[in-house]
Amino acid sequence: MAWRSSGASNEALIENLSGNGLIHSSRVKQAMLGVDRAHYAPYAPYQDSPQSIGHRATISAPHMHASACESLLPYLKPGSRVLDIGSGSGYLTHVLAELVKPGGTVVGVEHIQPLVDIGTTNTRKSQEGRELMDNGGIKYVKADGRLGYPEGAPYDAIHVGAAAADFHQQLIDQLRLPGRLFIPVEEAYMQHIYVIDKNEDGTVTRKKEYGVQYVPLTDAPKE
């Protein structure tokens, strides 16, 4: 149904995603309605497809952003702390911030400064985005996402927007008790979304979801 969800406006896109069963929660729907994808996608912003944003990075298709939000939703509450690894355009970072306000914080991590700058510039295109950045609701940093961002831990939820080579124990370690990690993982010649829960007693459970195709999760290029 994803390919049928494109629209002529942000509202039409989100309504189509909802009507096609790709958005289930009213909270996710309202958050995505509140963030105009035109501020983040360089062309055809209301197409339900991934797009290049330069620097070998992409903005994922809206239905993937909806899926991530739906999966993490039980851990996205006012005041929650969220880590968005591979924040890219900043779109999902902003949507997540809408889901954890007031009082929540989303840290967007990118491996090169130009992508940090892109996320910052895009988010500041709207009044809501500027307010979130000015009050600490959104923060973009340059770091090796494979190592998480320990300075802001623990996190109620972690989203990874690039395919990881493994499950990266450092990310699981930075989850709160309880907390949830949404991560695409490379397996042979395929990639799958895994939802990893860290329970209140510290035990960890992994659930394999569905096949995907993401750019790889990498560090900054060597000088």
Side-chain angles (χ1 to χ4, degrees), residues 6 29 33 37 40 44 52 71 73 75 113 125 146 159 164-165 179-182 185 195 214 217-219:
S6 300
K29 182 177 180 180
L33 282 170
R37 199 166 181 265
Y40 298 90
S52 171
S71 177
L73 191 61
Y75 300 86
Q113 190 62 42
K125 290 177 181 176
R146 298 171 300 179
H159 168 265
R180 175 169 290 179
L181 168 63
F182 181 98
V185 179
V195 175
Y214 279 74
L217 181 63
T218 61
D219 191 8

mmCIF file with all atom_site columns, all heavy atoms in Angstrom, residues 6 29 33 37 40 44 52 71 73 75 113 125 146 159 164-165 179-182 185 195 214 217-219:
data_model
loop_
_atom_site.group_PDB
_atom_site.id
_atom_site.type_symbol
_atom_site.label_atom_id
_atom_site.label_alt_id
_atom_site.label_comp_id
_atom_site.label_asym_id
_atom_site.label_entity_id
_atom_site.label_seq_id
_atom_site.pdbx_PDB_ins_code
_atom_site.Cartn_x
_atom_site.Cartn_y
_atom_site.Cartn_z
_atom_site.occupancy
_atom_site.B_iso_or_equiv
_atom_site.pdbx_formal_charge
_atom_site.auth_seq_id
_atom_site.auth_comp_id
_atom_site.auth_asym_id
_atom_site.auth_atom_id
_atom_site.pdbx_PDB_model_num
ATOM 1   N N   . SER A 1 6   ? 1.307  8.394  -1.858 1.00 0.00 ? 6   SER A N   1
ATOM 2   C CA  . SER A 1 6   ? 1.767  9.734  -2.210 1.00 0.00 ? 6   SER A CA  1
ATOM 3   C C   . SER A 1 6   ? 0.585  10.688 -2.314 1.00 0.00 ? 6   SER A C   1
ATOM 4   O O   . SER A 1 6   ? -0.552 10.281 -2.581 1.00 0.00 ? 6   SER A O   1
ATOM 5   C CB  . SER A 1 6   ? 2.531  9.704  -3.539 1.00 0.00 ? 6   SER A CB  1
ATOM 6   O OG  . SER A 1 6   ? 3.654  8.849  -3.450 1.00 0.00 ? 6   SER A OG  1
ATOM 7   N N   . LYS A 1 29  ? -0.143 10.267 13.640 1.00 0.00 ? 29  LYS A N   1
ATOM 8   C CA  . LYS A 1 29  ? -0.748 11.031 12.549 1.00 0.00 ? 29  LYS A CA  1
ATOM 9   C C   . LYS A 1 29  ? -0.639 12.524 12.795 1.00 0.00 ? 29  LYS A C   1
ATOM 10  O O   . LYS A 1 29  ? -0.232 13.288 11.898 1.00 0.00 ? 29  LYS A O   1
ATOM 11  C CB  . LYS A 1 29  ? -2.215 10.622 12.386 1.00 0.00 ? 29  LYS A CB  1
ATOM 12  C CG  . LYS A 1 29  ? -2.913 11.337 11.232 1.00 0.00 ? 29  LYS A CG  1
ATOM 13  C CD  . LYS A 1 29  ? -4.349 10.841 11.085 1.00 0.00 ? 29  LYS A CD  1
ATOM 14  C CE  . LYS A 1 29  ? -5.046 11.560 9.930  1.00 0.00 ? 29  LYS A CE  1
ATOM 15  N NZ  . LYS A 1 29  ? -6.455 11.073 9.774  1.00 0.00 ? 29  LYS A NZ  1
ATOM 16  N N   . LEU A 1 33  ? 1.454  15.224 10.595 1.00 0.00 ? 33  LEU A N   1
ATOM 17  C CA  . LEU A 1 33  ? 0.738  16.347 10.003 1.00 0.00 ? 33  LEU A CA  1
ATOM 18  C C   . LEU A 1 33  ? 1.387  17.674 10.389 1.00 0.00 ? 33  LEU A C   1
ATOM 19  O O   . LEU A 1 33  ? 1.345  18.647 9.627  1.00 0.00 ? 33  LEU A O   1
ATOM 20  C CB  . LEU A 1 33  ? -0.728 16.344 10.446 1.00 0.00 ? 33  LEU A CB  1
ATOM 21  C CG  . LEU A 1 33  ? -1.659 15.355 9.761  1.00 0.00 ? 33  LEU A CG  1
ATOM 22  C CD1 . LEU A 1 33  ? -3.005 15.307 10.479 1.00 0.00 ? 33  LEU A CD1 1
ATOM 23  C CD2 . LEU A 1 33  ? -1.860 15.735 8.292  1.00 0.00 ? 33  LEU A CD2 1
ATOM 24  N N   . ARG A 1 37  ? 6.901  17.919 5.239  1.00 0.00 ? 37  ARG A N   1
ATOM 25  C CA  . ARG A 1 37  ? 8.046  17.233 4.633  1.00 0.00 ? 37  ARG A CA  1
ATOM 26  C C   . ARG A 1 37  ? 8.741  18.084 3.570  1.00 0.00 ? 37  ARG A C   1
ATOM 27  O O   . ARG A 1 37  ? 9.895  17.836 3.226  1.00 0.00 ? 37  ARG A O   1
ATOM 28  C CB  . ARG A 1 37  ? 7.588  15.892 4.047  1.00 0.00 ? 37  ARG A CB  1
ATOM 29  C CG  . ARG A 1 37  ? 8.724  14.892 3.800  1.00 0.00 ? 37  ARG A CG  1
ATOM 30  C CD  . ARG A 1 37  ? 8.175  13.495 3.561  1.00 0.00 ? 37  ARG A CD  1
ATOM 31  N NE  . ARG A 1 37  ? 9.244  12.532 3.347  1.00 0.00 ? 37  ARG A NE  1
ATOM 32  C CZ  . ARG A 1 37  ? 9.706  12.161 2.150  1.00 0.00 ? 37  ARG A CZ  1
ATOM 33  N NH1 . ARG A 1 37  ? 9.166  12.702 1.067  1.00 0.00 ? 37  ARG A NH1 1
ATOM 34  N NH2 . ARG A 1 37  ? 10.669 11.274 2.044  1.00 0.00 ? 37  ARG A NH2 1
ATOM 35  N N   . TYR A 1 40  ? 12.116 19.324 4.328  1.00 0.00 ? 40  TYR A N   1
ATOM 36  C CA  . TYR A 1 40  ? 13.182 18.341 4.534  1.00 0.00 ? 40  TYR A CA  1
ATOM 37  C C   . TYR A 1 40  ? 13.561 17.561 3.279  1.00 0.00 ? 40  TYR A C   1
ATOM 38  O O   . TYR A 1 40  ? 14.688 17.101 3.176  1.00 0.00 ? 40  TYR A O   1
ATOM 39  C CB  . TYR A 1 40  ? 12.766 17.359 5.632  1.00 0.00 ? 40  TYR A CB  1
ATOM 40  C CG  . TYR A 1 40  ? 12.564 18.037 6.956  1.00 0.00 ? 40  TYR A CG  1
ATOM 41  C CD1 . TYR A 1 40  ? 11.328 18.554 7.328  1.00 0.00 ? 40  TYR A CD1 1
ATOM 42  C CD2 . TYR A 1 40  ? 13.632 18.190 7.834  1.00 0.00 ? 40  TYR A CD2 1
ATOM 43  C CE1 . TYR A 1 40  ? 11.154 19.201 8.543  1.00 0.00 ? 40  TYR A CE1 1
ATOM 44  C CE2 . TYR A 1 40  ? 13.469 18.829 9.057  1.00 0.00 ? 40  TYR A CE2 1
ATOM 45  C CZ  . TYR A 1 40  ? 12.230 19.338 9.398  1.00 0.00 ? 40  TYR A CZ  1
ATOM 46  O OH  . TYR A 1 40  ? 12.077 19.984 10.590 1.00 0.00 ? 40  TYR A OH  1
ATOM 47  N N   . ALA A 1 44  ? 9.955  16.630 -4.808 1.00 0.00 ? 44  ALA A N   1
ATOM 48  C CA  . ALA A 1 44  ? 8.804  15.724 -4.668 1.00 0.00 ? 44  ALA A CA  1
ATOM 49  C C   . ALA A 1 44  ? 8.601  15.308 -3.215 1.00 0.00 ? 44  ALA A C   1
ATOM 50  O O   . ALA A 1 44  ? 8.581  14.114 -2.905 1.00 0.00 ? 44  ALA A O   1
ATOM 51  C CB  . ALA A 1 44  ? 8.979  14.499 -5.556 1.00 0.00 ? 44  ALA A CB  1
ATOM 52  N N   . SER A 1 52  ? 17.434 11.109 -2.316 1.00 0.00 ? 52  SER A N   1
ATOM 53  C CA  . SER A 1 52  ? 18.780 11.522 -1.951 1.00 0.00 ? 52  SER A CA  1
ATOM 54  C C   . SER A 1 52  ? 18.769 12.937 -1.378 1.00 0.00 ? 52  SER A C   1
ATOM 55  O O   . SER A 1 52  ? 18.041 13.810 -1.860 1.00 0.00 ? 52  SER A O   1
ATOM 56  C CB  . SER A 1 52  ? 19.689 11.474 -3.181 1.00 0.00 ? 52  SER A CB  1
ATOM 57  O OG  . SER A 1 52  ? 20.950 12.066 -2.896 1.00 0.00 ? 52  SER A OG  1
ATOM 58  N N   . SER A 1 71  ? 6.338  1.884  15.987 1.00 0.00 ? 71  SER A N   1
ATOM 59  C CA  . SER A 1 71  ? 7.057  0.889  16.780 1.00 0.00 ? 71  SER A CA  1
ATOM 60  C C   . SER A 1 71  ? 7.560  1.466  18.097 1.00 0.00 ? 71  SER A C   1
ATOM 61  O O   . SER A 1 71  ? 7.491  0.817  19.145 1.00 0.00 ? 71  SER A O   1
ATOM 62  C CB  . SER A 1 71  ? 8.228  0.337  15.963 1.00 0.00 ? 71  SER A CB  1
ATOM 63  O OG  . SER A 1 71  ? 8.986  -0.578 16.724 1.00 0.00 ? 71  SER A OG  1
ATOM 64  N N   . LEU A 1 73  ? 6.416  4.126  19.644 1.00 0.00 ? 73  LEU A N   1
ATOM 65  C CA  . LEU A 1 73  ? 5.409  4.963  20.302 1.00 0.00 ? 73  LEU A CA  1
ATOM 66  C C   . LEU A 1 73  ? 5.212  4.689  21.794 1.00 0.00 ? 73  LEU A C   1
ATOM 67  O O   . LEU A 1 73  ? 5.047  5.640  22.567 1.00 0.00 ? 73  LEU A O   1
ATOM 68  C CB  . LEU A 1 73  ? 4.071  4.838  19.564 1.00 0.00 ? 73  LEU A CB  1
ATOM 69  C CG  . LEU A 1 73  ? 2.997  5.855  19.964 1.00 0.00 ? 73  LEU A CG  1
ATOM 70  C CD1 . LEU A 1 73  ? 3.463  7.276  19.685 1.00 0.00 ? 73  LEU A CD1 1
ATOM 71  C CD2 . LEU A 1 73  ? 1.690  5.566  19.221 1.00 0.00 ? 73  LEU A CD2 1
ATOM 72  N N   . TYR A 1 75  ? 7.213  4.255  23.958 1.00 0.00 ? 75  TYR A N   1
ATOM 73  C CA  . TYR A 1 75  ? 8.317  4.878  24.697 1.00 0.00 ? 75  TYR A CA  1
ATOM 74  C C   . TYR A 1 75  ? 8.453  6.358  24.369 1.00 0.00 ? 75  TYR A C   1
ATOM 75  O O   . TYR A 1 75  ? 9.373  7.017  24.862 1.00 0.00 ? 75  TYR A O   1
ATOM 76  C CB  . TYR A 1 75  ? 9.619  4.146  24.368 1.00 0.00 ? 75  TYR A CB  1
ATOM 77  C CG  . TYR A 1 75  ? 9.554  2.686  24.750 1.00 0.00 ? 75  TYR A CG  1
ATOM 78  C CD1 . TYR A 1 75  ? 9.027  1.735  23.872 1.00 0.00 ? 75  TYR A CD1 1
ATOM 79  C CD2 . TYR A 1 75  ? 9.965  2.253  26.008 1.00 0.00 ? 75  TYR A CD2 1
ATOM 80  C CE1 . TYR A 1 75  ? 8.932  0.400  24.230 1.00 0.00 ? 75  TYR A CE1 1
ATOM 81  C CE2 . TYR A 1 75  ? 9.874  0.930  26.375 1.00 0.00 ? 75  TYR A CE2 1
ATOM 82  C CZ  . TYR A 1 75  ? 9.355  0.007  25.483 1.00 0.00 ? 75  TYR A CZ  1
ATOM 83  O OH  . TYR A 1 75  ? 9.258  -1.319 25.851 1.00 0.00 ? 75  TYR A OH  1
ATOM 84  N N   . GLN A 1 113 ? 29.791 16.836 9.331  1.00 0.00 ? 113 GLN A N   1
ATOM 85  C CA  . GLN A 1 113 ? 29.204 18.134 9.660  1.00 0.00 ? 113 GLN A CA  1
ATOM 86  C C   . GLN A 1 113 ? 28.205 18.634 8.623  1.00 0.00 ? 113 GLN A C   1
ATOM 87  O O   . GLN A 1 113 ? 27.177 19.231 9.003  1.00 0.00 ? 113 GLN A O   1
ATOM 88  C CB  . GLN A 1 113 ? 30.311 19.172 9.869  1.00 0.00 ? 113 GLN A CB  1
ATOM 89  C CG  . GLN A 1 113 ? 29.806 20.490 10.458 1.00 0.00 ? 113 GLN A CG  1
ATOM 90  C CD  . GLN A 1 113 ? 29.186 20.313 11.831 1.00 0.00 ? 113 GLN A CD  1
ATOM 91  O OE1 . GLN A 1 113 ? 29.705 19.572 12.667 1.00 0.00 ? 113 GLN A OE1 1
ATOM 92  N NE2 . GLN A 1 113 ? 28.058 20.986 12.063 1.00 0.00 ? 113 GLN A NE2 1
ATOM 93  N N   . LYS A 1 125 ? 13.385 25.938 9.396  1.00 0.00 ? 125 LYS A N   1
ATOM 94  C CA  . LYS A 1 125 ? 12.504 26.518 8.388  1.00 0.00 ? 125 LYS A CA  1
ATOM 95  C C   . LYS A 1 125 ? 11.093 26.767 8.912  1.00 0.00 ? 125 LYS A C   1
ATOM 96  O O   . LYS A 1 125 ? 10.349 27.561 8.332  1.00 0.00 ? 125 LYS A O   1
ATOM 97  C CB  . LYS A 1 125 ? 12.444 25.608 7.154  1.00 0.00 ? 125 LYS A CB  1
ATOM 98  C CG  . LYS A 1 125 ? 13.738 25.579 6.352  1.00 0.00 ? 125 LYS A CG  1
ATOM 99  C CD  . LYS A 1 125 ? 13.632 24.601 5.182  1.00 0.00 ? 125 LYS A CD  1
ATOM 100 C CE  . LYS A 1 125 ? 14.932 24.545 4.395  1.00 0.00 ? 125 LYS A CE  1
ATOM 101 N NZ  . LYS A 1 125 ? 14.875 23.531 3.299  1.00 0.00 ? 125 LYS A NZ  1
ATOM 102 N N   . ARG A 1 146 ? 27.532 4.689  15.395 1.00 0.00 ? 146 ARG A N   1
ATOM 103 C CA  . ARG A 1 146 ? 27.669 3.293  15.806 1.00 0.00 ? 146 ARG A CA  1
ATOM 104 C C   . ARG A 1 146 ? 27.956 3.178  17.304 1.00 0.00 ? 146 ARG A C   1
ATOM 105 O O   . ARG A 1 146 ? 27.710 2.131  17.910 1.00 0.00 ? 146 ARG A O   1
ATOM 106 C CB  . ARG A 1 146 ? 28.780 2.626  15.001 1.00 0.00 ? 146 ARG A CB  1
ATOM 107 C CG  . ARG A 1 146 ? 28.520 2.587  13.496 1.00 0.00 ? 146 ARG A CG  1
ATOM 108 C CD  . ARG A 1 146 ? 29.724 2.131  12.720 1.00 0.00 ? 146 ARG A CD  1
ATOM 109 N NE  . ARG A 1 146 ? 30.872 3.027  12.930 1.00 0.00 ? 146 ARG A NE  1
ATOM 110 C CZ  . ARG A 1 146 ? 32.062 2.856  12.376 1.00 0.00 ? 146 ARG A CZ  1
ATOM 111 N NH1 . ARG A 1 146 ? 32.266 1.823  11.565 1.00 0.00 ? 146 ARG A NH1 1
ATOM 112 N NH2 . ARG A 1 146 ? 33.039 3.709  12.612 1.00 0.00 ? 146 ARG A NH2 1
ATOM 113 N N   . HIS A 1 159 ? 16.352 5.330  17.571 1.00 0.00 ? 159 HIS A N   1
ATOM 114 C CA  . HIS A 1 159 ? 16.048 5.003  16.175 1.00 0.00 ? 159 HIS A CA  1
ATOM 115 C C   . HIS A 1 159 ? 17.337 5.063  15.373 1.00 0.00 ? 159 HIS A C   1
ATOM 116 O O   . HIS A 1 159 ? 18.120 6.008  15.509 1.00 0.00 ? 159 HIS A O   1
ATOM 117 C CB  . HIS A 1 159 ? 15.039 5.994  15.592 1.00 0.00 ? 159 HIS A CB  1
ATOM 118 C CG  . HIS A 1 159 ? 14.908 5.888  14.101 1.00 0.00 ? 159 HIS A CG  1
ATOM 119 N ND1 . HIS A 1 159 ? 15.633 6.696  13.221 1.00 0.00 ? 159 HIS A ND1 1
ATOM 120 C CD2 . HIS A 1 159 ? 14.160 5.054  13.322 1.00 0.00 ? 159 HIS A CD2 1
ATOM 121 C CE1 . HIS A 1 159 ? 15.316 6.360  11.989 1.00 0.00 ? 159 HIS A CE1 1
ATOM 122 N NE2 . HIS A 1 159 ? 14.435 5.380  12.015 1.00 0.00 ? 159 HIS A NE2 1
ATOM 123 N N   . ALA A 1 164 ? 22.956 -1.176 10.038 1.00 0.00 ? 164 ALA A N   1
ATOM 124 C CA  . ALA A 1 164 ? 24.086 -1.493 10.906 1.00 0.00 ? 164 ALA A CA  1
ATOM 125 C C   . ALA A 1 164 ? 24.668 -2.851 10.558 1.00 0.00 ? 164 ALA A C   1
ATOM 126 O O   . ALA A 1 164 ? 23.954 -3.760 10.118 1.00 0.00 ? 164 ALA A O   1
ATOM 127 C CB  . ALA A 1 164 ? 23.645 -1.482 12.369 1.00 0.00 ? 164 ALA A CB  1
ATOM 128 N N   . ALA A 1 165 ? 25.976 -2.998 10.762 1.00 0.00 ? 165 ALA A N   1
ATOM 129 C CA  . ALA A 1 165 ? 26.649 -4.266 10.481 1.00 0.00 ? 165 ALA A CA  1
ATOM 130 C C   . ALA A 1 165 ? 26.323 -5.319 11.533 1.00 0.00 ? 165 ALA A C   1
ATOM 131 O O   . ALA A 1 165 ? 26.400 -6.522 11.267 1.00 0.00 ? 165 ALA A O   1
ATOM 132 C CB  . ALA A 1 165 ? 28.152 -4.061 10.391 1.00 0.00 ? 165 ALA A CB  1
ATOM 133 N N   . GLY A 1 179 ? 13.422 0.321  27.638 1.00 0.00 ? 179 GLY A N   1
ATOM 134 C CA  . GLY A 1 179 ? 13.661 1.157  26.476 1.00 0.00 ? 179 GLY A CA  1
ATOM 135 C C   . GLY A 1 179 ? 13.592 0.312  25.220 1.00 0.00 ? 179 GLY A C   1
ATOM 136 O O   . GLY A 1 179 ? 13.613 -0.921 25.277 1.00 0.00 ? 179 GLY A O   1
ATOM 137 N N   . ARG A 1 180 ? 13.532 0.967  24.078 1.00 0.00 ? 180 ARG A N   1
ATOM 138 C CA  . ARG A 1 180 ? 13.381 0.238  22.816 1.00 0.00 ? 180 ARG A CA  1
ATOM 139 C C   . ARG A 1 180 ? 14.307 0.815  21.749 1.00 0.00 ? 180 ARG A C   1
ATOM 140 O O   . ARG A 1 180 ? 14.437 2.042  21.619 1.00 0.00 ? 180 ARG A O   1
ATOM 141 C CB  . ARG A 1 180 ? 11.933 0.277  22.337 1.00 0.00 ? 180 ARG A CB  1
ATOM 142 C CG  . ARG A 1 180 ? 11.709 -0.370 20.957 1.00 0.00 ? 180 ARG A CG  1
ATOM 143 C CD  . ARG A 1 180 ? 10.229 -0.546 20.652 1.00 0.00 ? 180 ARG A CD  1
ATOM 144 N NE  . ARG A 1 180 ? 9.650  -1.595 21.503 1.00 0.00 ? 180 ARG A NE  1
ATOM 145 C CZ  . ARG A 1 180 ? 8.378  -1.946 21.478 1.00 0.00 ? 180 ARG A CZ  1
ATOM 146 N NH1 . ARG A 1 180 ? 7.526  -1.326 20.657 1.00 0.00 ? 180 ARG A NH1 1
ATOM 147 N NH2 . ARG A 1 180 ? 7.926  -2.910 22.270 1.00 0.00 ? 180 ARG A NH2 1
ATOM 148 N N   . LEU A 1 181 ? 14.907 -0.088 20.970 1.00 0.00 ? 181 LEU A N   1
ATOM 149 C CA  . LEU A 1 181 ? 15.777 0.247  19.844 1.00 0.00 ? 181 LEU A CA  1
ATOM 150 C C   . LEU A 1 181 ? 15.145 -0.249 18.552 1.00 0.00 ? 181 LEU A C   1
ATOM 151 O O   . LEU A 1 181 ? 14.767 -1.424 18.454 1.00 0.00 ? 181 LEU A O   1
ATOM 152 C CB  . LEU A 1 181 ? 17.151 -0.391 20.049 1.00 0.00 ? 181 LEU A CB  1
ATOM 153 C CG  . LEU A 1 181 ? 18.142 -0.427 18.882 1.00 0.00 ? 181 LEU A CG  1
ATOM 154 C CD1 . LEU A 1 181 ? 18.533 0.973  18.444 1.00 0.00 ? 181 LEU A CD1 1
ATOM 155 C CD2 . LEU A 1 181 ? 19.376 -1.236 19.287 1.00 0.00 ? 181 LEU A CD2 1
ATOM 156 N N   . PHE A 1 182 ? 15.050 0.635  17.562 1.00 0.00 ? 182 PHE A N   1
ATOM 157 C CA  . PHE A 1 182 ? 14.545 0.299  16.216 1.00 0.00 ? 182 PHE A CA  1
ATOM 158 C C   . PHE A 1 182 ? 15.721 0.419  15.276 1.00 0.00 ? 182 PHE A C   1
ATOM 159 O O   . PHE A 1 182 ? 16.261 1.509  15.085 1.00 0.00 ? 182 PHE A O   1
ATOM 160 C CB  . PHE A 1 182 ? 13.434 1.286  15.847 1.00 0.00 ? 182 PHE A CB  1
ATOM 161 C CG  . PHE A 1 182 ? 12.789 1.063  14.495 1.00 0.00 ? 182 PHE A CG  1
ATOM 162 C CD1 . PHE A 1 182 ? 11.587 0.385  14.388 1.00 0.00 ? 182 PHE A CD1 1
ATOM 163 C CD2 . PHE A 1 182 ? 13.360 1.577  13.339 1.00 0.00 ? 182 PHE A CD2 1
ATOM 164 C CE1 . PHE A 1 182 ? 10.967 0.208  13.146 1.00 0.00 ? 182 PHE A CE1 1
ATOM 165 C CE2 . PHE A 1 182 ? 12.764 1.410  12.102 1.00 0.00 ? 182 PHE A CE2 1
ATOM 166 C CZ  . PHE A 1 182 ? 11.558 0.727  11.999 1.00 0.00 ? 182 PHE A CZ  1
ATOM 167 N N   . VAL A 1 185 ? 19.388 -4.011 10.324 1.00 0.00 ? 185 VAL A N   1
ATOM 168 C CA  . VAL A 1 185 ? 20.632 -4.772 10.487 1.00 0.00 ? 185 VAL A CA  1
ATOM 169 C C   . VAL A 1 185 ? 20.928 -5.539 9.208  1.00 0.00 ? 185 VAL A C   1
ATOM 170 O O   . VAL A 1 185 ? 20.039 -6.189 8.639  1.00 0.00 ? 185 VAL A O   1
ATOM 171 C CB  . VAL A 1 185 ? 20.540 -5.740 11.682 1.00 0.00 ? 185 VAL A CB  1
ATOM 172 C CG1 . VAL A 1 185 ? 21.828 -6.545 11.826 1.00 0.00 ? 185 VAL A CG1 1
ATOM 173 C CG2 . VAL A 1 185 ? 20.255 -4.966 12.975 1.00 0.00 ? 185 VAL A CG2 1
ATOM 174 N N   . VAL A 1 195 ? 13.468 -4.913 16.245 1.00 0.00 ? 195 VAL A N   1
ATOM 175 C CA  . VAL A 1 195 ? 13.003 -4.143 17.398 1.00 0.00 ? 195 VAL A CA  1
ATOM 176 C C   . VAL A 1 195 ? 13.576 -4.816 18.631 1.00 0.00 ? 195 VAL A C   1
ATOM 177 O O   . VAL A 1 195 ? 13.287 -5.993 18.899 1.00 0.00 ? 195 VAL A O   1
ATOM 178 C CB  . VAL A 1 195 ? 11.470 -4.076 17.456 1.00 0.00 ? 195 VAL A CB  1
ATOM 179 C CG1 . VAL A 1 195 ? 11.023 -3.376 18.733 1.00 0.00 ? 195 VAL A CG1 1
ATOM 180 C CG2 . VAL A 1 195 ? 10.921 -3.360 16.225 1.00 0.00 ? 195 VAL A CG2 1
ATOM 181 N N   . TYR A 1 214 ? 18.461 0.084  3.300  1.00 0.00 ? 214 TYR A N   1
ATOM 182 C CA  . TYR A 1 214 ? 18.971 1.352  3.814  1.00 0.00 ? 214 TYR A CA  1
ATOM 183 C C   . TYR A 1 214 ? 20.419 1.548  3.362  1.00 0.00 ? 214 TYR A C   1
ATOM 184 O O   . TYR A 1 214 ? 21.125 0.585  3.043  1.00 0.00 ? 214 TYR A O   1
ATOM 185 C CB  . TYR A 1 214 ? 18.963 1.353  5.349  1.00 0.00 ? 214 TYR A CB  1
ATOM 186 C CG  . TYR A 1 214 ? 17.641 1.662  6.006  1.00 0.00 ? 214 TYR A CG  1
ATOM 187 C CD1 . TYR A 1 214 ? 16.612 0.726  6.031  1.00 0.00 ? 214 TYR A CD1 1
ATOM 188 C CD2 . TYR A 1 214 ? 17.431 2.877  6.640  1.00 0.00 ? 214 TYR A CD2 1
ATOM 189 C CE1 . TYR A 1 214 ? 15.413 0.994  6.663  1.00 0.00 ? 214 TYR A CE1 1
ATOM 190 C CE2 . TYR A 1 214 ? 16.228 3.161  7.278  1.00 0.00 ? 214 TYR A CE2 1
ATOM 191 C CZ  . TYR A 1 214 ? 15.228 2.222  7.290  1.00 0.00 ? 214 TYR A CZ  1
ATOM 192 O OH  . TYR A 1 214 ? 14.032 2.488  7.911  1.00 0.00 ? 214 TYR A OH  1
ATOM 193 N N   . LEU A 1 217 ? 25.374 2.268  7.811  1.00 0.00 ? 217 LEU A N   1
ATOM 194 C CA  . LEU A 1 217 ? 25.743 3.093  8.953  1.00 0.00 ? 217 LEU A CA  1
ATOM 195 C C   . LEU A 1 217 ? 27.261 3.163  9.009  1.00 0.00 ? 217 LEU A C   1
ATOM 196 O O   . LEU A 1 217 ? 27.937 2.147  9.186  1.00 0.00 ? 217 LEU A O   1
ATOM 197 C CB  . LEU A 1 217 ? 25.198 2.487  10.247 1.00 0.00 ? 217 LEU A CB  1
ATOM 198 C CG  . LEU A 1 217 ? 25.481 3.231  11.554 1.00 0.00 ? 217 LEU A CG  1
ATOM 199 C CD1 . LEU A 1 217 ? 24.824 4.612  11.542 1.00 0.00 ? 217 LEU A CD1 1
ATOM 200 C CD2 . LEU A 1 217 ? 24.974 2.415  12.737 1.00 0.00 ? 217 LEU A CD2 1
ATOM 201 N N   . THR A 1 218 ? 27.819 4.361  8.841  1.00 0.00 ? 218 THR A N   1
ATOM 202 C CA  . THR A 1 218 ? 29.270 4.509  8.768  1.00 0.00 ? 218 THR A CA  1
ATOM 203 C C   . THR A 1 218 ? 29.756 5.629  9.665  1.00 0.00 ? 218 THR A C   1
ATOM 204 O O   . THR A 1 218 ? 28.977 6.444  10.165 1.00 0.00 ? 218 THR A O   1
ATOM 205 C CB  . THR A 1 218 ? 29.716 4.829  7.328  1.00 0.00 ? 218 THR A CB  1
ATOM 206 O OG1 . THR A 1 218 ? 29.119 6.077  6.916  1.00 0.00 ? 218 THR A OG1 1
ATOM 207 C CG2 . THR A 1 218 ? 29.284 3.728  6.367  1.00 0.00 ? 218 THR A CG2 1
ATOM 208 N N   . ASP A 1 219 ? 31.078 5.665  9.836  1.00 0.00 ? 219 ASP A N   1
ATOM 209 C CA  . ASP A 1 219 ? 31.747 6.758  10.518 1.00 0.00 ? 219 ASP A CA  1
ATOM 210 C C   . ASP A 1 219 ? 32.128 7.802  9.489  1.00 0.00 ? 219 ASP A C   1
ATOM 211 O O   . ASP A 1 219 ? 31.966 7.603  8.285  1.00 0.00 ? 219 ASP A O   1
ATOM 212 C CB  . ASP A 1 219 ? 32.981 6.227  11.249 1.00 0.00 ? 219 ASP A CB  1
ATOM 213 C CG  . ASP A 1 219 ? 33.585 7.254  12.199 1.00 0.00 ? 219 ASP A CG  1
ATOM 214 O OD1 . ASP A 1 219 ? 32.946 8.314  12.399 1.00 0.00 ? 219 ASP A OD1 1
ATOM 215 O OD2 . ASP A 1 219 ? 34.687 6.994  12.712 1.00 0.00 ? 219 ASP A OD2 1
#
